[in-house]
Amino acid sequence: MNHLKLPPHLNRRQVIQLLGMSGMGYLLGSCSDEFTARVGELSEPLNQSFGELLVKPQKLIPEFPKSAIDPKALLLNTYDITPKIDPDEYRLTIDGEVKFPMQLNLKALTQLPQTSIIMQHVCVEGWAAIVQWGGFRLRDLATMVQPKASARYVLFESADKYTESWDLASALHPQTLLANRLNGQPLPAENGAPLRLATPIKLGYKLSKWVTKVTFASQIPKGGKGYWEEQGYEWFGGI
Amino acid sequence: MNKQPRKSPPVPSQPNFVKILHCLIIISLFIMIGSGLQIYNATPVFGGKSGWSFPQWVTLGGWLAGGRSWHFTTMWVFALTLLIYGIYILLTQRWKRKFFSEQDLKALQVGKNPKRRIYSWHRLIYTGIIPVLILAIFSGLAMYKPAQFHWLSGLFINWQTLRTIHFLTVPISLLFVLVHTIMGIRAGGLRLTRSMFQP
């Protein structure tokens, strides 16, 4: 029955165990980037559905007290440089699947109802900071431009060429802002002035700084998931 | 259990179902730890950006996004295995027989039989890891969705405390793996260990 010549001190079961262990070792040892990416793709649809399930427009995330704000905890992360933006030249373009595409200057944008939120800003890197962002709701901007029924995503472009793409529900969440103030002060350039995204329901890399263009879209163009998402971060990024 | 002569105690036997779950927990635990340490290194829990980080060889995923891919995929295997095991021990009443009990407590307090005492220690230790694993899941969930599950994150006081608690489940689990292995052998010899792994 036993045609395999096994070392006399190993029985069949021990061989099976050794094979199992070496197989595991091989699996973990050869975790190439490609294989890791596959693993991520395996769970992303499930994790995305889970994330989408939790986002409800009527469900507001509780705010933190003013005393909890910790300005030093907010670290500066940028993939490239802080772009120089002339406030007089600055225009925010809103286009795509909307009835009334427009270009607005800063003066026009300050006409939108201003609000603020004290929230926890959570970075994908594991740090978090409680900050107050002030600005206007993205949904108020949407009311002006009237997205068509075909709009399912919102794409953001920034002055530093950073790109992002969001699901419509998160973009229209009442706590999602285009912010121009930080902790009660005008937004500093390195934090994204004149306009950046802020919301308590997404990770920091979704919160583009120096936003110059908001595009409502029926689908995400190939390669346009976002700067970090194209390199492996999960697209939904909901928290 | 079969009645056998006193000299040779019954060969311990575990249901195959339990062996499979046990293996799944071991594999998923180590993937969670390796990928978790990868995530840890992006901003060390202790000392922040300038804090000490783990050497690359103990981490899984290559970089932060890869670590997150492994972590947020394997979390389902880890959590569902524990959940299925929980349902299983409830339905089979295994929780009454196989976990630390009042008799074990008595054995540890006043028992004179050293073998019985070791066995009770063994049961105490593997019973004790279960709340730690559940804590790992809930503290992880609180960090994964801190806004949507703000009520859960709120229980952990603040972000740093939450991260610290979630991280502490790593050394506790690793220590457990070591002690559990030793205690298993001390309580039932390699025969007991084998009974949990042999197909």
Side-chain angles (χ1 to χ4, degrees):
Chain A
M1 180 187 140
N2 207 343
H3 296 297
L4 265 173
K5 274 210 180 123
L6 300 174
H9 56 281
L10 282 180
N11 63 31
R12 188 176 59 91
R13 283 195 157 148
Q14 285 168 322
V15 170
I16 291 172
Q17 284 166 358
L18 279 175
L19 282 176
M21 278 190 271
S22 59
M24 272 288 297
Y26 178 75
L27 178 75
L28 291 178
S30 67
C31 283
S32 63
D33 294 349
E34 183 59 27
F35 187 57
T36 290
R38 289 281 153 75
V39 169
E41 284 163 19
L42 201 67
S43 64
E44 189 158 6
L46 174 64
N47 291 348
Q48 188 180 318
S49 307
F50 180 50
E52 281 170 340
L53 199 69
L54 297 172
V55 175
K56 300 210 174 64
Q58 71 279 16
K59 198 173 103 188
L60 294 185
I61 307 303
E63 293 192 35
F64 289 82
K66 220 170 186 148
S67 58
I69 296 173
D70 185 4
K72 283 193 299 295
L74 184 69
L75 307 181
L76 285 171
N77 268 356
T78 309
Y79 89 105
D80 193 12
I81 42 119
T82 296
K84 284 208 163 61
I85 299 172
D86 180 350
D88 297 326
E89 296 287 309
Y90 176 85
R91 298 286 183 279
L92 180 68
T93 306
I94 311 112
D95 64 4
E97 304 284 314
V98 295
K99 284 188 190 130
F100 312 109
M102 40 182 98
Q103 274 206 334
L104 299 170
N105 61 20
L106 285 177
K107 206 167 182 190
L109 289 167
T110 48
Q111 304 301 309
L112 285 157
Q114 302 291 305
T115 181
S116 74
I117 178 173
I118 302 176
M119 52 162 251
Q120 185 163 248
H121 187 100
V122 182
C123 182
V124 66
E125 292 174 343
W127 56 267
I130 294 169
V131 292
Q132 182 182 42
W133 297 113
F136 57 87
R137 292 185 183 89
L138 194 56
R139 61 154 41 173
D140 288 341
L141 199 66
T143 309
M144 282 172 66
V145 298
Q146 298 277 311
K148 295 176 188 166
S150 54
R152 288 185 57 211
Y153 303 99
V154 186
L155 318 176
F156 300 96
E157 273 179 42
S158 298
D160 63 339
K161 304 265 192 289
Y162 190 79
T163 53
E164 260 306 331
S165 66
W166 287 37
D167 57 300
L168 189 66
S170 298
L172 298 184
H173 188 276
Q175 289 170 304
T176 297
L177 312 181
L178 275 169
N180 49 29
R181 295 181 77 77
L182 167 61
N183 298 332
Q185 303 293 319
L187 187 64
E190 62 268 28
N191 293 101
L195 222 48
R196 67 163 296 155
L197 279 164
T199 189
I201 60 169
K202 294 255 189 227
L203 285 168
Y205 65 86
K206 302 297 290 185
L207 308 181
S208 302
K209 299 171 178 180
W210 312 295
V211 175
T212 53
K213 194 171 176 189
V214 179
T215 306
F216 289 80
S218 57
Q219 51 191 327
I220 297 170
K222 206 170 168 359
K225 282 194 290 182
Y227 177 80
W228 286 112
E229 290 85 340
E230 291 296 336
Q231 297 177 57
Y233 283 179
E234 63 268 30
W235 171 74
F236 194 74
I239 57 172
Chain B
M1 275 189 202
N2 301 334
K3 276 193 181 150
Q4 289 190 355
R6 199 84 187 88
K7 280 272 164 74
S8 62
V11 177
S13 85
Q14 319 285 348
N16 281 331
F17 186 63
V18 170
K19 289 181 211 169
I20 292 167
L21 292 183
H22 189 248
C23 275
L24 280 175
I25 275 290
I26 295 172
I27 295 166
S28 57
L29 177 70
F30 277 98
I31 294 177
M32 289 309 274
I33 290 175
S35 56
L37 295 181
Q38 180 75 254
I39 297 168
Y40 176 105
N41 280 355
T43 308
V45 176
F46 305 108
K49 288 283 180 194
S50 52
W52 185 85
S53 57
F54 288 90
Q56 191 66 28
W57 63 268
V58 301
T59 67
L60 182 62
W63 70 301
L64 177 58
R68 288 173 64 90
S69 289
W70 279 101
H71 210 66
F72 299 139
T73 303
T74 312
M75 68 178 184
W76 293 108
V77 180
F78 183 70
L80 286 177
T81 304
L82 269 184
L83 179 68
I84 290 166
Y85 183 63
I87 293 168
Y88 172 79
I89 59 172
L90 273 180
L91 291 182
T92 58
Q93 305 274 302
R94 207 175 144 97
W95 63 275
K96 284 186 188 162
R97 292 177 284 112
K98 294 282 185 174
F99 290 93
F100 190 73
S101 64
E102 247 173 84
Q103 282 106 304
D104 291 309
L105 187 65
K106 223 176 273 170
L108 289 183
Q109 282 170 337
V110 294
K112 291 279 184 289
N113 180 350
K115 278 207 152 168
R116 181 70 179 88
R117 286 173 59 88
I118 286 172
Y119 185 60
S120 293
W121 271 113
H122 179 51
R123 282 161 63 103
L124 174 63
I125 288 161
Y126 73 62
T127 304
I129 198 64
I130 289 176
V132 175
L133 298 182
I134 293 170
L135 180 68
I137 290 172
F138 280 97
S139 57
L141 189 61
M143 251 193 292
Y144 185 50
K145 301 288 176 195
Q148 304 296 350
F149 296 136
H150 50 82
W151 48 272
L152 183 63
S153 320
L155 298 178
F156 294 92
I157 305 167
N158 59 41
W159 188 256
Q160 180 62 21
T161 313
L162 173 56
R163 281 197 85 194
T164 306
I165 289 171
H166 190 61
F167 171 74
L168 285 178
T169 61
V170 174
I172 294 172
S173 303
L174 289 175
L175 189 66
F176 167 77
V177 171
L178 183 73
V179 175
H180 180 54
T181 306
I182 295 168
M183 288 306 285
I185 293 168
R186 285 188 69 194
L190 278 172
R191 265 167 17 121
L192 180 62
T193 311
R194 239 180 270 133
S195 75
M196 191 47 108
F197 289 97
Q198 245 163 19

